[in-house]
């Protein structure tokens, strides 16, 4: 199913920089010291008020709690944040409100309280249904708990649930990966996000790899595992509407889709990013510095004004990963750049090789083309003069 090209309203992303424990693969900004949790929540409330004009008064369509692990917050703390958002911004009464969560935080009582606080979409970090793999990743839950929390979420009334899975895990054979996919489908989620394990330098896995204790999975093996996932999910009625994201009809992530459409969004919290159409803003990735700045009523952010080339390249990078593709007419109308004329031979070769489709001046990558999405985008990038 093709997603329509209507204009999305802005979204707000709220970064919760805490986790109970550090997964071996994660390089996002977080702390396992929860002592400053209350102070961080107060700082988030202050930043929301200070940023009240960032979105130009436009109605907010999505709220997204990411991290870190937002589910470490209490429902009362989440309610405080949501209350401030609603008092400070014009929020669509039917806004999508997503909370990233780990299974070990989702007791039945917690799930009920989250629903009452206004969370209407869960993104649950399951990653695997194999207990050996979960231990290897240093996750805090086991497969039984993952299954139970999803069952409980449905029983308390959640109707929009996304599951995260990781593939390209060293020593995970194809049988284990296929079993993970089947386990996920048995839980009947509306959405699945699946990411290739990336070995980042400053993580435990990165240190193991540097010492020769861990060998990353080869790119062709990772690509094969992704195609196995795509094929199985398509047979189950899911659409791959972005390289790493799959949904049943009508359950695409509205929040993340706005990112991929280059719509405005406000990010609050340590390390959060914001985009207003012409510039990007990057909050400091340090809890202590963030707290000090907000106590002084300052937003600790670096601002990058985007050039015409930056804006075109960002649009290419995000839209080529999606099912709706890259609108070449939009690039011409907004930025005066005829991408097709500039790269006619290259785009023609993509179509001829079965990596892309070109219809009505919209360039879409095929299933195999999406495996090369980032490279294709970089090949089409404008170079900064």
């Amino acid at each position: 199913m093709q997603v329509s090209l209507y204009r999305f309203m802005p979204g707000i992303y709220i970064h919760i920089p805490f986790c109970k424990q550090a997964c071996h693969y994660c390089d996002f900004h977080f702390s396992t010291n929860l002592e400053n949790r209350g102070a961080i929540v107060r700082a988030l409330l202050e930043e929301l008020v200070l940023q009240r004009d960032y979105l130009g008064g436009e109605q907010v369509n999505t709220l997204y709690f990411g991290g870190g692990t937002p589910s470490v917050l209490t429902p009362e703390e989440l309610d405080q944040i949501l209350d401030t958002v609603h008092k400070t911004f014009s929020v669509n009464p039917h806004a999508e409100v997503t909370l990233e969560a780990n299974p070990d935080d989702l007791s039945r009582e917690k799930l009920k309280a989250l629903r009452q606080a206004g969370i209407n979409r869960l993104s649950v970090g399951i990653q695997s249904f194999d207990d050996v793999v979960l231990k290897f990743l240093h996750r805090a839950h086991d497969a039984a708990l993952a299954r139970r929390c999803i069952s409980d979420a449905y029983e308390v009334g959640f109707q929009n649930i996304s599951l995260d899975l990781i593939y390209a895990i060293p020593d995970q054979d194809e049988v284990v990966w296929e079993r993970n996919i089947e386990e996920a489908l048995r839980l009947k989620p509306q959405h699945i996000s699946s990411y290739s394990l990336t070995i980042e330098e400053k993580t435990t896995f990165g240190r193991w790899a540097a010492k020769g204790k861990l060998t990353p999975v080869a790119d062709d093996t990772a690509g094969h595992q992704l195609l196995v996932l795509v094929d199985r999910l398509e047979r189950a009625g899911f659409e791959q509407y972005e390289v790493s994201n799959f949904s049943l009809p009508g359950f695409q992530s509205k929040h993340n889709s706005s990112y991929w459409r280059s719509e405005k969004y406000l990010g609050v919290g340590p390390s959060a990013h914001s985009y207003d159409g012409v510039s990007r803003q990057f909050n400091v990735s340090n809890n202590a510095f963030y707290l000090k700045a907000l106590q002084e009523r300052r937003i600790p952010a670096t601002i990058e004004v985007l050039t015409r080339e930056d804006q075109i390249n960002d649009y290419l990078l995000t839209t080529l990963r999606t099912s709706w593709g890259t609108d070449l007419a939009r690039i011409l109308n907004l930025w005066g750049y005829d991408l097709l004329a500039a790269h006619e031979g290259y785009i023609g070769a993509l179509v001829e090789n079965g990596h892309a489709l070109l219809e009505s001046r919209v360039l879409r990558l095929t299933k195999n083309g999406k495996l090369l999405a980032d490279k294709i985008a970089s090949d089409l990038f404008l170079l900064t003069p």
Side-chain angles (χ1 to χ4, degrees), residues 142-155:
D142 60 17
L145 183 56
R147 297 184 196 99
R148 185 164 64 249
C149 82
I150 300 302
S151 175
D152 286 346
Y154 283 125
E155 288 188 16

Side-chain angles (χ1 to χ4, degrees), residues 65-200:
F65 289 88
T69 310
S71 53
V72 302
L73 295 189
T74 66
E76 292 75 21
E77 288 167 331
L78 290 167
D79 198 45
Q80 276 185 290
I81 296 170
L82 287 168
D83 184 58
T84 299
V85 169
H86 282 274
K87 288 179 178 177
T88 308
F89 299 88
S90 171
V91 180
N92 182 341
H94 304 292
E96 175 191 87
V97 185
T98 301
L99 180 83
E100 289 184 350
N102 283 338
D104 43 295
D105 292 324
L106 297 180
S107 66
R108 184 184 291 264
E109 293 71 26
K110 179 77 168 277
L111 285 162
K112 288 179 181 177
L114 293 175
R115 282 268 296 157
Q116 292 171 355
I119 305 299
N120 55 34
R121 182 174 184 272
L122 291 176
S123 178
V124 185
I126 287 176
Q127 316 310 355
S128 177
F129 291 96
D130 186 285
D131 286 339
V132 173
V133 171
L134 289 170
K135 186 175 181 179
F136 173 69
L137 297 174
H138 203 229
R139 299 292 291 168
H141 68 276
D142 60 17
L145 183 56
R147 297 184 196 99
R148 185 164 64 249
C149 82
I150 300 302
S151 175
D152 286 346
Y154 283 125
E155 288 188 16
V156 304
F158 280 97
Q159 298 176 341
N160 192 349
I161 298 175
S162 178
L163 309 183
D164 282 2
L165 297 176
I166 294 178
Y167 61 94
I169 297 171
D171 299 323
Q172 174 185 259
D173 63 28
E174 191 164 315
V175 173
V176 173
W177 176 231
E178 290 176 354
R179 190 163 59 236
N180 276 333
I181 299 169
E182 297 303 327
E183 288 261 20
L185 289 173
R186 273 195 286 273
L187 293 177
K188 300 188 182 304
Q190 289 72 44
H191 188 283
I192 291 176
S193 296
S194 189
Y195 303 96
S196 177
L197 179 68
T198 303
I199 308 299
E200 302 289 354

